């Protein structure tokens, strides 16, 4: 597109310079003008090709063709285990081993294959479709070539690309922020020149992020941050678009690191080398430090999403070992306030029902911890008619729970009568053997917190408790007395193990990641030092505004007098950094 045309498009879609750094250093990011009607024919033609969820004002002038939603069987959730649960797998493996020994004599155990087959038959999806023993052959030992004769990728089965593309299209419909970013910034290509090595879950939603980065001008190479969570057909769809992607389900640890090295193009045939990193869990960053530290000389920065990865980056920063600027996406307002609260609100009931088919109305539930996650869980459980108790250590959160209409109790007061126990504290040992022992028969025990420390699962592996695999992620624990309780996902984070994650929420986080990359890529020397930064608040606000049109929400604009009165700018930021929302 010529620069003239580009300017035209820029004006039509209302792009303005938003200063993110000092006054002379401004980065062009698209400014939302929700009230503008876009009538430039070129714009319309390129937008309409890619419009699935446009702002309502655009709908007046654009023909929007929503790809039909197909009733598609869900992919197996079996592998969607959080990164941290993989990290904790050594602990779990020890526990499993103990259980295995025990189960040889005491339990009826389904093999993994049997469990998978049961799930597949429930879902009507054959994960091994088109292959006899696909999982047995490492993709590294297969010829990898797509229909364009492109070979720089490694996926389970390129033949499944078409199916993966449909999955990506479904995700696109629920990811308005990323799609809007594409449309609004595609002409400007703010990531032109960016070479991004990425390491994230490979799902339909992250595929939308990857393809957005490419549409904004970036060159990318990608691998998975989790050995289980890759949607193979999505990886195939990306490979079919000539995107160098290295990822499949059930990677061995050795394959996992090999894929990361490929995402960095180590020993590659070209001289491509990344100048940005997008990481989820810190493994790619860690790999660079360990195997190719020189790469940091040419890196403009790293954007990190996970708690674990951020923790590592802060550790490096404290010891002056961080040699590039890092953007902490995990603690941006648009992550914590939406991911923790709304994600859990949307998925706690889905998870419980998938696992247990339980009727929830009228059930007595105790939620341990009334932070963001606990609040989200309580909101939706209340909506379906549960009787809710909350436990808290913090008087402020306890008071919030009281004023939201929940009874704040000590666990001991209700443990014998409750039907469901949900931990959401981020703490350890919240539910112990002594608690479990007091539960009534049929009680369901589960965790919504990040790690499997909240329920002391190891103590439940006592020799006189019989473990029985009932369904995928569901186990019966029978005590000597004959009492039997239900444990979900062995105490791991329930919704990530047993349910799907709303694409809309991922759109918010992914938009933050994309803007973090744009910001770091354009930052003039000196703006960011070798430290860990939060995304500027203006960016947070921008990410939120990208998602408002999906609700046909109309923001009120401040007038000059009001701006002066409040001492803020018309275009934000609207709140000081300490504001808690
Ligand atoms: P938070 O800090 O806002 O809330 C945790 C609450 O638990 C706090 O109010 C704290 O006072 C309370 N608490 C701590 N120990 C307790 C105890 N022994 N008994 C009772 N209450 C106790 O954190 P959050 O944002 O709500 O996150 C909670 C956990 O969920 C974290 O591990 C987080 O990483 C995880 N998380 C899960 C998801 C998900 O999808 N399931 C999403 C985001 C975060």
């Amino acid at each position: 597109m010529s620069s003239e045309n580009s300017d035209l498009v820029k004006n039509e879609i209302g792009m303005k310079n938003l200063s993110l750094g000092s006054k002379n250093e401004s980065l062009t990011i698209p400014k939302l003008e929700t009230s503008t009607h876009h009538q430039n024919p070129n714009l319309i033609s390129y937008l309409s090709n890619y419009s699935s969820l446009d702002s309502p004002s655009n709908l007046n002038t654009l023909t929007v063709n929503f790809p039909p939603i197909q009733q598609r069987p869900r992919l197996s959730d079996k592998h969607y285990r959080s990164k941290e649960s993989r990290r904790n797998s050594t602990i779990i493996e020890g526990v499993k081993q103990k259980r295995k020994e025990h189960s040889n004599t005491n339990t009826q155990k389904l093999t993994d294959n049997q469990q998978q087959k049961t799930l597949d038959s429930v879902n009507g999806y054959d994960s091994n479709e088109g292959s006899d023993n696909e999982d047995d052959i490492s993709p590294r030992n297969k010829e990898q070539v797509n229909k364009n004769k492109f070979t720089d990728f490694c996926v389970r089965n390129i033949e499944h690309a078409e199916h993966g593309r449909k999955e990506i299209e479904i995700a696109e419909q629920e990811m308005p922020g990323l799609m809007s970013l594409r449309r609004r910034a595609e002409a400007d290509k703010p990531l032109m020149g960016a070479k991004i090595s990425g390491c994230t879950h490979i799902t339909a939603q992250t595929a939308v992020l990857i393809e957005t980065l490419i549409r904004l001008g970036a060159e990318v190479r990608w691998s998975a941050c989790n050995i289980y969570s890759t949607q193979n057909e999505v990886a195939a769809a990306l490979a079919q678009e000539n995107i160098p992607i290295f990822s499949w389900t059930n990677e061995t640890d050795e394959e996992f690191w090999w894929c990361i090295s490929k995402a960095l193009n180590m020993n590659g045939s070209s001289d491509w080398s990344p100048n940005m990193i997008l990481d989820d869990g810190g493994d790619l960053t860690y790999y660079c430090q360990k195997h190719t530290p020189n790469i940091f000389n040419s890196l403009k920065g790293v954007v990190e999403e996970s708690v674990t990865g951020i923790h590592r980056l802060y550790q490096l920063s404290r010891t002056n070992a961080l040699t590039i600027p890092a953007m902490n996406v995990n603690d941006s307002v648009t992550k914590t306030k939406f991911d923790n609260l709304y994600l859990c609100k949307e998925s706690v009931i889905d998870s419980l029902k998938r696992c247990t088919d339980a009727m929830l109305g009228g059930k007595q539930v105790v939620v341990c911890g009334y932070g963001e996650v606990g609040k989200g869980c309580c909101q939706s459980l209340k909506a379906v008619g549960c009787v809710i108790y909350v436990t808290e250590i913090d008087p402020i959160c306890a008071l919030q729970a009281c004023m939201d209409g929940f009874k704040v109790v000590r666990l001991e007061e209700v443990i014998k009568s409750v039907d469901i126990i949900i931990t959401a504290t981020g703490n350890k040992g919240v539910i112990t053997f002594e608690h479990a022992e007091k539960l009534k028969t049929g009680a369901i025990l589960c965790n919504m917190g990040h790690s499997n420390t909240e329920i002391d699962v190891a103590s439940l592996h006592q020799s006189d408790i019989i473990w029985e695999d009932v369904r995928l992620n569901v186990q019966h624990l029978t005590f000597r007395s004959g009492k039997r309780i239900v444990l979900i996902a062995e105490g791991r984070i329930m919704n990530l193990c047993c349910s799907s994650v709303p694409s809309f929420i991922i759109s918010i986080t992914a938009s933050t990641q994309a803007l973090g990359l744009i910001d770091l890529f354009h930052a003039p020397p000196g703006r960011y030092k070798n430290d860990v930064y939060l995304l500027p608040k203006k960016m947070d606000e921008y990410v939120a505004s990208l998602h408002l049109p999906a609700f046909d929400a109309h923001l009120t604009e401040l007038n000059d007098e009001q701006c002066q009165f409040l001492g803020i700018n018309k275009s934000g930021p609207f709140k000081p950094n300490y504001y808690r929302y």
Side-chain angles (χ1 to χ4, degrees):
M1 185 177 286
S2 71
S3 66
E4 204 180 307
N5 272 345
S6 161
D7 282 342
L8 188 60
V9 169
K10 209 155 130 182
N11 290 336
E12 282 290 323
I13 61 177
M15 291 179 73
K16 283 183 183 165
N17 282 350
L18 289 184
S19 178
L20 297 166
S22 70
K23 271 198 179 150
N24 343 335
E25 302 156 355
S26 70
L27 160 67
T28 302
I29 64 167
K31 169 85 170 68
L32 283 181
E33 301 278 357
T34 47
S35 58
T36 313
H37 286 201
H38 313 311
Q39 295 184 343
N40 177 293
N42 293 336
L43 180 65
I44 289 175
S45 63
Y46 96 75
L47 282 182
S48 57
N49 283 339
Y50 230 86
S51 281
S52 52
L53 275 173
D54 213 320
S55 75
S57 55
N58 290 349
L59 296 180
N60 295 333
T61 50
L62 296 175
T63 312
V64 181
N65 295 319
F66 286 82
I69 295 186
Q70 305 196 351
Q71 280 303 321
R72 185 171 301 287
R74 281 178 45 73
L75 292 172
S76 160
D77 292 327
K78 172 178 130 180
H79 304 304
Y80 200 95
R81 281 176 40 181
S82 72
K83 177 150 209 78
E84 283 63 33
S85 68
R86 185 166 70 77
R87 287 235 162 68
N88 290 332
S89 63
T90 33
I91 303 166
I92 291 272
E93 283 316 316
V95 168
K96 270 191 176 159
Q97 182 56 32
K98 203 174 159 197
R99 200 180 90 213
K100 205 169 161 190
E101 289 157 17
H102 182 64
S103 69
N104 286 340
T105 49
N106 289 333
T107 69
Q108 305 156 14
K109 193 167 157 55
L110 300 178
T111 65
D112 274 0
N113 271 346
Q114 283 169 321
Q115 289 196 19
Q116 182 58 45
K117 283 219 158 63
T118 312
L119 189 89
D120 287 343
S121 64
V122 168
N123 289 337
Y125 177 75
D126 182 356
S127 54
N128 281 332
E129 200 179 7
S131 144
D132 288 330
N133 263 324
E134 213 172 64
D135 268 13
D136 295 344
I137 309 164
S138 169
R140 282 169 72 181
N141 299 328
K142 289 186 197 167
E143 193 194 5
Q144 301 278 352
V145 56
N146 73 7
K147 285 184 181 152
N148 314 318
K149 308 275 178 261
F150 178 74
T151 58
D152 191 10
F153 66 90
C154 193
V155 299
R156 173 73 68 198
N157 189 342
I158 191 69
E159 301 295 318
H160 293 169
E162 207 179 313
H163 173 52
R165 181 51 52 191
K166 302 253 163 58
E167 290 288 329
I168 295 171
E169 283 170 6
I170 290 173
E172 283 172 352
Q173 290 177 118
E174 269 293 291
M175 302 190 77
L178 282 182
M179 299 307 281
S180 176
L181 201 55
R182 276 188 198 183
R183 290 190 296 272
R184 289 165 202 278
E186 190 170 46
D188 260 22
K189 300 252 180 278
L191 286 174
M192 183 62 84
K195 295 177 180 174
I196 304 170
S197 283
C199 183
T200 61
H201 294 285
I202 305 293
T203 61
Q205 293 97 350
T206 44
V208 180
L209 169 64
I210 293 168
E211 294 193 331
T212 299
L213 298 176
I214 294 170
R215 299 284 280 251
L216 302 190
E219 290 171 30
V220 306
R221 297 180 70 86
W222 225 268
S223 70
C225 71
N226 184 294
I227 58 175
Y228 298 111
S229 66
T230 296
Q231 280 182 278
N232 285 326
E233 71 289 1
V234 168
L238 292 173
Q240 185 49 50
E241 294 302 311
N242 297 1
I243 298 172
I245 174 142
F246 304 86
S247 154
W248 57 91
T249 45
N250 285 338
E251 289 166 8
T252 63
D253 272 4
E254 196 260 328
E255 288 168 341
F256 173 79
W257 294 113
W258 178 81
C259 287
I260 285 189
S261 76
K262 297 297 282 182
L264 289 163
N265 200 32
M266 286 178 70
N267 308 318
S269 50
S270 69
D271 59 0
W272 192 98
S273 179
N275 52 25
M276 309 277 297
I277 284 178
L278 179 59
D279 210 353
D280 181 353
D283 285 329
L284 193 141
T285 314
Y286 167 80
Y287 185 93
C288 291
Q289 274 177 315
K290 187 128 193 229
H291 298 283
T292 168
N294 286 344
I295 220 166
F296 287 105
N297 299 334
S298 51
L299 285 181
K300 281 175 176 276
V302 53
V303 173
E304 169 62 57
E305 131 128 57
S306 75
V307 180
T308 321
I310 293 299
H311 185 64
R312 279 189 196 173
L313 288 170
Y314 277 117
Q315 273 177 338
L316 287 176
S317 165
R318 271 196 294 274
T319 52
N320 291 327
L322 188 65
T323 53
I324 47 167
M327 199 62 88
N328 170 358
V329 170
N330 183 65
D331 292 305
S332 59
V333 176
T334 38
K335 169 116 191 327
T336 46
K337 282 288 161 182
F338 294 90
D339 196 299
N340 300 25
L341 181 76
Y342 296 103
L343 177 61
C344 297
K345 181 180 170 186
E346 294 265 340
S347 55
V348 67
I349 289 181
D350 183 33
S351 310
L352 284 168
K353 284 195 168 287
R354 276 174 198 247
C355 290
T356 64
D357 304 325
M359 157 92 191
L360 296 177
K363 290 271 160 59
Q364 295 195 42
V365 184
V366 59
V367 176
C368 303
Y370 200 67
E372 299 296 338
V373 173
K375 286 182 177 80
C377 293
C378 286
Q379 278 183 26
S380 53
L381 291 163
K382 184 179 184 177
V384 291
C386 292
V387 178
I388 299 167
Y389 301 101
V390 166
T391 68
E392 249 302 340
I393 53 161
D394 177 343
I396 297 177
C397 299
L399 185 59
Q400 285 180 314
C402 292
M403 296 186 68
D404 287 338
F406 305 120
K407 183 97 183 124
V408 177
V409 295
R410 288 204 176 149
L411 213 41
E412 295 72 36
E413 297 169 44
V414 293
I415 194 79
K416 286 186 183 157
S417 57
V418 287
D419 302 289
I420 301 171
I421 303 94
I422 302 173
T423 52
T425 67
N427 203 340
K428 64 178 280 199
V430 178
I431 302 294
T432 60
F433 174 79
E434 286 70 32
H435 291 124
E437 205 177 25
K438 295 194 179 83
L439 287 168
K440 67 183 183 192
T441 278
I444 299 165
L445 184 52
C446 59
N447 167 46
M448 287 289 285
H450 177 73
S451 72
N452 61 349
T453 53
E454 303 215 12
I455 300 170
D456 184 5
V457 178
S459 72
L460 298 177
H461 278 279
Q462 301 228 346
S463 57
D464 57 352
I465 299 180
I466 296 175
W467 288 62
E468 186 184 0
D469 292 332
V470 185
R471 285 178 171 177
L472 203 61
N473 288 317
V474 182
Q475 284 168 326
H476 278 163
L477 273 55
T478 308
F479 290 71
R480 192 189 287 270
S481 62
K483 188 238 315 277
R484 191 175 76 184
I485 63 168
V486 181
L487 177 66
I488 309 286
E490 293 190 64
R492 294 193 303 271
I493 186 165
M494 176 172 69
N495 58 337
L496 292 195
C497 292
C498 315
S499 160
S500 63
V501 177
S503 302
F504 197 93
I505 299 285
I506 310 241
S507 174
I508 296 175
T509 310
S511 303
T512 312
Q513 288 170 310
L515 288 174
L517 286 166
I518 294 173
D519 192 30
L520 278 178
F521 186 64
H522 284 270
R527 181 189 291 166
Y528 293 120
K529 302 192 172 41
N530 298 336
D531 208 340
V532 188
Y533 291 87
L534 287 176
L535 206 66
K537 185 168 282 290
K538 215 162 182 170
M539 288 279 205
D540 257 336
E541 290 173 354
Y542 182 70
V543 169
S545 67
L546 282 175
H547 292 83
L548 287 177
F551 300 101
D552 193 13
H554 304 142
L555 275 179
T556 301
E557 263 194 35
L558 288 169
N559 63 34
D560 294 340
E561 226 176 305
Q562 289 171 327
C563 281
Q564 224 172 4
F565 185 75
L566 292 176
I568 56 178
N569 196 301
K570 229 178 220 186
S571 60
F574 298 99
K575 298 283 194 299
N577 279 335
Y578 56 78
Y579 188 79
R580 295 188 188 92
Y581 296 87

